[in-house]
Each structure stands twice: as C-alpha cells, then as structure tokens.
Amino acid sequence: MKLFAHRVSAFSLVEVTLALGVAAICLIAVFGLLPVGVQTNRNATSQTAATNIIAAVIADLRATPTSGATSSQFAITFGTAKTLYFDDEGRSSCDLAGSQKADCSSPWDSPLKTRYRLNISFPQTGGLTYADLKITWPAPVDPATTTPSGSSEMFAAFDRN
C-alpha cells in the first residue's frame, strides 16, 4: 500500500503580518485624507450657495422695471448701498439676527440662522448703472475688519435708460 503525502498550502505568519502592516499603512493614509475631502466639500457647497444667492439678487435687480427704483423680492433701491443676510435655504433678512425679512418691515415667523452676508453697492459712474455684489461667510464676520472664511464678488451692469 502506498501512502500519499498531502501538502497543505497556507500563508506563513510573517506573510500575514506583512500584509496586515501594508493594509494598515494604506488605511491610515486614506483616513488622513478624509478631513481634507470633507473641508473641500464644505467649501464647494458654500461657494455654490453663494453663487446662487448672487444670481437670485441680480435676477431681482434686472426684473425691476426702469420706472421703479426698488426691486420687488429683496427691496434693494438702485443707487443705495444695502447689506442683506441669507440662510442656507436662500431666505433673506435685513439684520444679522435674521428676525426681519429683506424689506425690513415684516418679521419672519421664526428667526433665520443667517450664514451669508451680501453687501451691495452702486459705484458712481457716468451714465452707467452697475452694482458691486460681494457675499461673504460666515455672516457674523465683518469683511471690513476680519478675513471671512469664504467670499465671492460679482459686478453686474443694468440697462436703466
């Protein structure tokens, strides 16, 4: 009778330890990149929201008839600087606390949690009408005294003749 020698294939303890070490180093590198990815996502979200707010304000100003001096949605008077505050959903307020709507005469049912500050100015030029819109976040930071964590600025020209 013949005896067959069966050989069992397996990894040695050294090979398993080295494989776990390589996997651990890769996982540490990936986990180290997670905060950077989260911060980049937060910045991109804030930048997109700020751009959408500016676009809405410019659309409101452009929709204002030439016979009227004040926009209907945000109550912006052409030629007069104004500061508005916005929450994450794009709702506006004329005060940092978020208690008044953009017209500054009617209150919100519950105060907004303002996140963005929009400064609108109308630089004096010859016969042209244009606005300088600068949005910064977070809202409590005054861009004149402190550097905000993010900002976006746009100039818009209007045909008011």
Side-chain angles (χ1 to χ4, degrees):
M1 177 184 279
K2 246 180 166 183
L3 294 173
F4 292 101
H6 292 287
R7 184 172 168 122
V8 177
S9 298
F11 293 108
S12 70
L13 187 59
V14 171
E15 292 171 327
V16 170
T17 304
L18 285 174
L20 287 174
V22 168
I25 289 173
C26 292
L27 284 174
I28 288 171
V30 168
F31 288 145
L33 291 175
L34 279 177
V36 174
V38 169
Q39 182 65 31
T40 301
N41 183 33
R42 185 178 302 132
N43 290 344
T45 303
S46 295
Q47 187 71 35
T48 301
T51 304
N52 288 340
I53 289 168
I54 287 178
V57 170
I58 290 174
D60 181 42
L61 289 170
R62 288 203 170 127
T64 305
T66 54
S67 60
T70 303
S71 69
S72 60
Q73 184 177 0
F74 298 108
I76 300 168
T77 303
F78 275 92
T80 305
K82 186 169 186 173
T83 300
L84 292 173
Y85 300 90
F86 291 85
D87 68 356
D88 286 334
E89 297 175 13
R91 295 178 297 178
S92 62
S93 174
C94 67
D95 63 338
L96 180 60
S99 59
Q100 297 289 319
K101 293 185 178 179
D103 60 7
C104 294
S105 62
S106 54
W108 284 102
D109 293 335
S110 61
L112 304 179
K113 293 179 182 176
T114 57
R115 178 178 163 100
Y116 302 95
R117 174 193 298 250
L118 177 65
N119 293 318
I120 306 159
S121 62
F122 295 89
Q124 296 297 322
T125 59
L128 301 174
T129 302
Y130 72 95
D132 176 13
L133 295 94
K134 183 170 186 176
I135 190 165
T136 58
W137 60 91
V141 174
D142 184 4
T145 58
T146 310
T147 303
S149 64
S151 68
S152 183
E153 188 170 12
M154 187 177 290
F155 296 95
F158 303 100
D159 183 12
R160 302 288 296 167
N161 297 326

